[in-house]
Amino acid sequence: MRHIENGRGMSFLPAKEIKMSDYKFRLAEKKDAPMTSRWVAESGNQIDPEDKQLGLSQTSPMAVYFIVERDGEPIAYAPLLFVLHLCHLAFAPDTRASERMHAMQTLLDGAKEFSVEAGVHRIQTLTLPDYGVAKWALDHGFVADDRVLLTLDI
């Protein structure tokens, strides 16, 4: 893997372009910006407005932008960004509820500080609405997203 400077930090990309038949996958370049901006603007309601904002380098300084070309012509564009994903919380069995609340706030404060330093501007978690942690998260700035989260383990 080689380093590619991007925003405030480093991104890692394959050492060579990935080519499949007539299709080529590559890192977007500055010269692609007007074209990709036009594609996004012309997408109508096919791209969620929040996703449009997330794809901006001002919003997500660590975002990486990819282009797919066919026969040398760009045909697809995708911004990808880094997200801090809270997998779960675990507490010592003998902690009191007040200690757990304080611990969750301390974890959130620390994770937010770490995220900002790393150029990551989104923390997410998965939970169920009736869990206490879901209620706590909603009271502390997390927002429920009605869309379906799709994941791919690599």
Side-chain angles (χ1 to χ4, degrees), residues 54-124:
L54 279 173
L56 299 174
S57 60
Q58 304 93 309
T59 308
S60 304
M62 286 296 295
V64 179
Y65 305 91
F66 293 118
I67 298 283
V68 172
E69 293 179 348
R70 180 161 191 256
D71 298 326
E73 292 296 319
I75 62 166
Y77 159 75
L80 287 85
L81 61 112
F82 295 91
V83 174
L84 198 63
H85 183 85
L86 171 63
C87 298
H88 59 80
L89 293 168
F91 300 98
D94 58 345
T95 55
R96 296 184 313 270
S98 62
E99 292 175 309
R100 289 177 183 215
M101 295 299 278
H102 189 76
M104 287 193 298
Q105 185 62 55
T106 303
L107 282 167
L108 180 60
D109 291 344
K112 286 165 63 175
E113 187 173 320
F114 173 83
S115 295
V116 169
E117 286 298 314
V120 176
H121 293 277
R122 174 163 284 205
I123 300 173
Q124 69 182 25

Side-chain angles (χ1 to χ4, degrees), residues 25-58:
F25 170 88
R26 67 169 174 84
L27 184 65
E29 301 170 11
K30 286 190 184 287
K31 68 178 182 163
D32 296 314
M35 172 192 64
T36 58
S37 295
R38 188 181 78 249
W39 291 358
V40 171
E42 292 174 358
S43 69
N45 63 358
Q46 295 296 312
I47 302 173
D48 186 279
E50 183 182 347
D51 291 338
K52 288 179 184 180
Q53 288 300 309
L54 279 173
L56 299 174
S57 60
Q58 304 93 309

